[in-house]
Amino acid sequence: MVRLVLALALVLGLAAGAQAQPATKVPPIAYKERTLANGLKVYSSIDRSTPNVTVQVWYNVGSKDDPTGRSGFAHLFEHMMFKATRDLPAESFDRMTEDVGGSNNAFTADDTTAFHEVIPANHLQRLLWAEAERMSSLVIDKDDFTSERNVVEEELRQRVLADPYGRFFRFLIPENSFAVHPYHRPGIGSIADLDAATLDDVRAFHETYYRPDDASLIVVGNFDQAELDAWVDRYFGAIQTPKAAIPRVTAVEPPRKGPRSVTGYGPNVPLPAIAITWLGPTAASDDAAALNVLDAVLTEGKSSRLYNDMVYDKQIAAEVFSSADLRAQPGLFYVGAIVAGGKSVDAVEAELRAQVGQLRDKPVSQAELDAAKNQLVAGAIRRRETIEGRGFELGSAITSEGDAARANTDIDRLQAVTAADVQRVARKYLTDDTRVAIRYLPESERPAGQAAEAEEKPSPVPSKPYTGPVAVLAPEGQRQAPPPVGKPVTPVLPTPAERVLPNGLRVIVAKSSDLPLVNVQLIVKAGAASDPANLAGASSMTASLVTEGTKTRTAPQIAQQVEALGATLNAGSGWEASTVTLSTLPDKASQALAIMADVAENPVFAPQELERVRKETLDGLSVAYQQPGAVAGFVTAPVVYGGTPFGHVASGTPDSVRRLDRAAVAGLHDRYWRPDDAILIVTGDLTPDQGFALAQAAFGDWARPAGPPPAPPEATPHAAPREVAVDLPGTGQAAVVVTKPAIPRGDPRYYQGLVANAVIGGGYSARLNEEIRIKRGLSYGAGSSLTARRTLGAFTAQAQTKNQSAAEVVGLLRTVVASASTTPPDADELTARKSALVGEYGRTLETSEGLAGILGNLALYGIDLNEIKAYTGKVDGVTADQVAAFAREVYDPAQASVIVVGDAKTFLPTLQPALPHLEVIPIDQL
């Protein structure tokens, strides 16, 4: 490894004694700040390049503020804030955001709960009014409280109980890392604590924390500053500040007095896991920047220390991770790994400790330091590409560090970090005698006689009667009307330019950003549908290996050179295409593109790299086979497309992956990876001429093979619908899927299909989510999708639910899908669903990566690039009758297959009567 590192240092001009690279200039977020008389802090930042605006309200209350015996309470309340106010019926926020072409969401962290919307700029006044409504007059009633508690419990089942490592990350790590501070409680809570909560508890929590002097309002986008100030004063200025002081967490985590080890056990754990944690400082600490750099040195990219040592070299870990988990109060630093199949947990723990010890004992090299900082700075630039991302940067700085200015100055602090700083913080915080090692093993490895963890017991903490004000939804005729909608802002759509290089490579360039970013996507017109017979996953393996060594660069050299530039380089395969994607800074673009071209043109598929990636793939499959949603995805293609080139698992099965050899992957590359059957998309902060010049320099000498490109595979689905249940014993939730063949992208009814899908399940406000989540609380989310490819397509409706509800959800999916043909959307529903499609499309165009994806799909499927500007008009032209006709012709659930994956013993008694032809497949026979 010494020779390899020295060779790389010479290539990059970073040999011993080299000076640090000049810092990348990051445009600061320009913002205005003011505070209202009631304590509300207001931050605003104007961006005239977008037709949208983001409205965000960040409250200084998070899961650390959960009342005793009510873990998960702040998160539960996050859900309640989307219900009714005095003047708005429940779910109005979705009507006012998604239904007009915007989006909304929220999240709960340890220190904050944040609500964020992106809307067309002419709806800004209405959203400010609505946010003030839910701050001042939220309606908290029994029905909505019960419904949302059910939804949160389904979220817990999906994210924790149905995830092989959900208990490890969300429960074991925090519970065993903090002894006193409430950071030890899981933010998502427990079902027992959630069930113990009462209406009085919820009302008291809102009165205590959701108030103007505990909140920050952030507005970023296209608006008039004077209008914004006047609207904020009008709607928020009159909200009264409660007289009671806001309770604050004052607990202080005591220093650790020695090392400690903990072992936990769980169901459906395919590979052991381990984490080692230390107590850390606050996010505002002077040491935070150095710890973030240290974190990047350990695990940021394939050239990082833990990946290179434990995943690539020693191959003892399937995955490595680390985090500088710094918060408003002192947080954590941790490292960890998912143990590779057949490897020892002891060996992995010892190696983690050794790697951290090296950081204490010796400064990192200048090359490592520069690469880590470049990666972090480039990541910060990517987060600022959207107005919502800039709002998040401000909000995080405010709630975690107490000062919005830190969103800008933290980058300066990061770029000033030295190798000595990294060693200093490693010695200060990551001492070997203050570690807590947390192991997570399969339940089958629990020692004989050791009792399993006791089931959760109801919280013994009683509720206290609430005597404060209670808001109720006003009668319809007495509600205050929302403010009017303003004049629309016309979006400026990108104009792509294209050329074909002499070797046949089609190049498409479009400027998408003034931020220093360039995104490049190479599309090769061959994917999983081109896999050889009985070699499912061959295309996926080929794409995975192109970045793992070329004729002139080893896999570690590729990773080190790319990441030293602050770039990211990834490759993957879909059904009809394989892609290599690059994100880089403009001044590094030519160097990064040279590496990208090398991996696409000159991979060597070294046997040792194939064997390593094969093992990683098999470990990944072992994890995926314990996730009900992933298993349902594996089953879908063989069920729907059996007997066609699409009738297998795209990523491969354990058996097929074991059969793959070098001849198979090299043969696929030789046959399909050629410039005259590929497309290069370049977007970001550059002109068309600059993009074409970069393409010519990097790919101009890619030789075109003799003869025409291979014909793409054709497919006509003919398999009869099936009813399949996969038994995954012990999993905490069932995945339910209704799926069938649909149309190709070139079908003239494509836009009718998009709108019909939007009505059925294309968003939070669509029919599936309305029936399954909102009305019944049976799932964290239900939806549908239309996937239209070159020769065929698929329609899929799906949800995850507790195992006992699987049969009920199957019936609801079928009923709702059928409703699109029997109950066409009325004018309001049709307008709302079209607006949701158009708004989502516009937000995708906002980023260089999103624009590249849209252009790439148009080019891949032979659609004129001018379609990028025709999208809105074609969506708007779809009628309700066309929606009903398309649903009747294409989406008929009677012709669809049904797939259920979960703990069969809990759902078969009700599912088998509903599905008389049900095939039950144990997971070990899949």
Side-chain angles (χ1 to χ4, degrees), residues 111 142 289 365 384 666 706 832 834:
D111 302 308
K142 182 178 180 181
S365 68
R384 293 163 187 242
K834 289 178 180 179

Side-chain angles (χ1 to χ4, degrees), residues 34 36 125 132 228-239 483-484:
R34 68 190 184 105
L36 304 190
Q125 184 181 4
L228 172 67
D229 291 343
W231 292 335
V232 169
D233 289 341
R234 182 187 312 175
Y235 301 125
F236 288 92
I239 300 175

Side-chain angles (χ1 to χ4, degrees), residues 13 20 53 221 340 381 463 576 602 611 683 729 854 867 896:
V53 64
I381 295 173
S463 296
E576 295 178 315
N602 305 306
E611 191 57 34
T683 59
I854 289 174
E867 190 88 354

Side-chain angles (χ1 to χ4, degrees), residues 795-820:
F795 169 75
T796 302
Q798 58 192 348
Q800 286 195 199
T801 186
K802 56 183 175 291
N803 287 288
Q804 296 86 340
S805 302
E808 182 180 0
V809 170
V810 168
L812 288 168
L813 289 174
R814 286 172 150 180
T815 299
V816 173
V817 173
S819 74

Side-chain angles (χ1 to χ4, degrees), residues 514-535:
D514 289 327
L515 282 173
L517 282 176
V518 171
N519 187 278
V520 186
Q521 185 179 112
L522 176 69
I523 302 171
V524 176
K525 297 180 184 178
S530 301
D531 286 347
N534 299 316
L535 288 179

Side-chain angles (χ1 to χ4, degrees), residues 8-72:
L8 175 63
L10 292 171
V11 168
L12 296 178
L14 296 172
Q19 296 297 310
Q21 296 178 10
T24 299
K25 292 184 179 180
V26 181
I29 302 172
Y31 66 92
K32 289 188 61 177
E33 175 183 355
R34 68 190 184 105
T35 302
L36 304 190
N38 58 13
L40 178 69
K41 294 181 173 62
V42 184
Y43 302 85
S44 56
S45 179
I46 295 175
D47 181 353
R48 297 295 183 202
S49 69
T50 175
N52 296 326
V53 64
T54 181
V55 177
Q56 303 179 10
V57 181
W58 293 61
Y59 290 92
N60 294 310
V61 54
S63 53
K64 78 168 185 282
D65 302 295
D66 289 343
T68 302
R70 299 292 186 269
S71 65

